[in-house]
Amino acid sequence: MAGRLEFYWYETKPGEEAGTAWGQLAGASHRLHFVCQEMEACVSGANIEQVLGRLEYHMENYLVRVYELRERAISLAATIDGRNQIAGLLKSKRERKGALQMMEHLGSGFVQALERLLISLDADIALRNQHTHDKFLSVGLCTDNDIFDPADALLDLSANREGYQQLFDFLREETQRLVDEHTAKGKAVFEATWSLLEAAKEAEGG
């Protein structure tokens, strides 16, 4: 078979903006769901260093997908409302209430679903925004006094079998905790997204 895989995109035709925005948000929700599945699967590995590396990778991807989903949701809202400035207002927690009030003509179901989704994303968006060109997020072992690279901490205890096993077990528990916490948030975001998508259909008149 001739051909090759490449990235592509569709040009949105006039009159198709709302449908395109709806589809993009639906797609973003499925990508977040996939990341959560990958995160759950990564904890089963026997090598704790590899598990931690995969966890860090999936956690960063999770934050990227959360950000994408927020952008898609705001784009859908602005498209349905018809005012581009709504998007910028919805991103700001300070301006959001006023923006939502401006959108009341779309119905309380749509406005409430949008607000619920954006609130569920705020904390992770704030964390994602710490990952910049000069600051990089990592998963670290935080104590009362300092933060350590888990792999380095394990290496330091390699000659202490009991201490190594205690830290190994602790890291297993903490990895599972982080995964459970973020997959639960991901599930809540997924459900909130589909509530918004259904409300968007009603706001658009079915």
Side-chain angles (χ1 to χ4, degrees):
M1 179 176 178
R4 61 184 185 181
L5 290 174
E6 295 284 358
F7 288 105
Y8 76 101
W9 61 91
Y10 288 113
E11 294 290 343
T12 302
K13 297 178 182 178
E16 296 181 353
E17 293 87 356
T20 298
W22 195 98
Q24 288 175 340
L25 179 55
S29 76
H30 290 298
R31 286 187 286 277
L32 177 63
H33 179 66
F34 176 74
V35 170
C36 289
Q37 289 179 316
E38 291 293 296
M39 199 183 299
E40 286 181 308
C42 84
V43 298
S44 60
N47 185 310
I48 189 64
E49 288 90 347
Q50 290 182 359
V51 168
L52 289 166
R54 291 190 178 114
L55 173 64
E56 187 171 290
Y57 170 81
H58 292 311
M59 287 288 294
E60 184 174 336
N61 200 3
Y62 171 90
L63 294 175
V64 169
R65 295 306 169 191
V66 162
Y67 182 84
E68 177 203 8
L69 195 143
R70 194 276 302 269
E71 295 298 292
R72 303 291 190 192
I74 286 174
S75 178
L76 174 62
T79 300
I80 292 175
D81 180 81
R83 289 172 288 187
N84 291 333
Q85 67 268 30
I86 285 287
L89 297 174
L90 288 171
K91 291 181 185 183
S92 168
K93 287 195 284 186
R94 185 178 59 187
E95 304 288 347
R96 185 180 298 159
K97 184 175 181 179
L100 291 169
Q101 289 174 345
M102 292 168 61
M103 302 178 71
E104 287 179 350
H105 64 97
L106 296 175
S108 60
F110 179 82
V111 172
Q112 289 171 8
L114 178 60
E115 182 176 27
R116 174 189 167 206
L117 175 59
L118 294 178
I119 288 173
S120 72
L121 296 172
D122 280 339
D124 284 330
I125 293 295
L127 178 59
R128 181 264 176 198
N129 287 342
Q130 295 299 314
H131 190 73
T132 64
H133 66 282
D134 61 349
K135 288 188 290 186
F136 303 94
L137 295 176
S138 299
V139 176
L141 177 59
C142 300
T143 68
D144 292 336
N145 302 316
D146 209 342
I147 301 175
F148 301 93
D149 183 311
D152 289 344
L154 283 168
L155 184 61
D156 289 343
L157 290 171
S158 58
N160 180 345
R161 186 171 182 177
E162 181 179 354
Y164 180 94
Q165 189 62 48
Q166 288 178 347
L167 179 57
F168 181 96
D169 293 341
F170 176 77
L171 290 173
R172 280 283 187 195
E173 292 174 4
E174 283 298 288
T175 297
Q176 190 65 60
R177 180 189 63 79
L178 268 181
V179 168
D180 290 345
E181 179 182 309
H182 283 80
T183 53
K185 287 197 294 183
K187 181 180 178 181
V189 167
F190 185 88
E191 292 173 352
T193 300
W194 279 90
S195 293
L196 176 62
L197 287 166
E198 290 302 316
K201 286 183 178 180
E202 295 181 10
E204 278 276 286

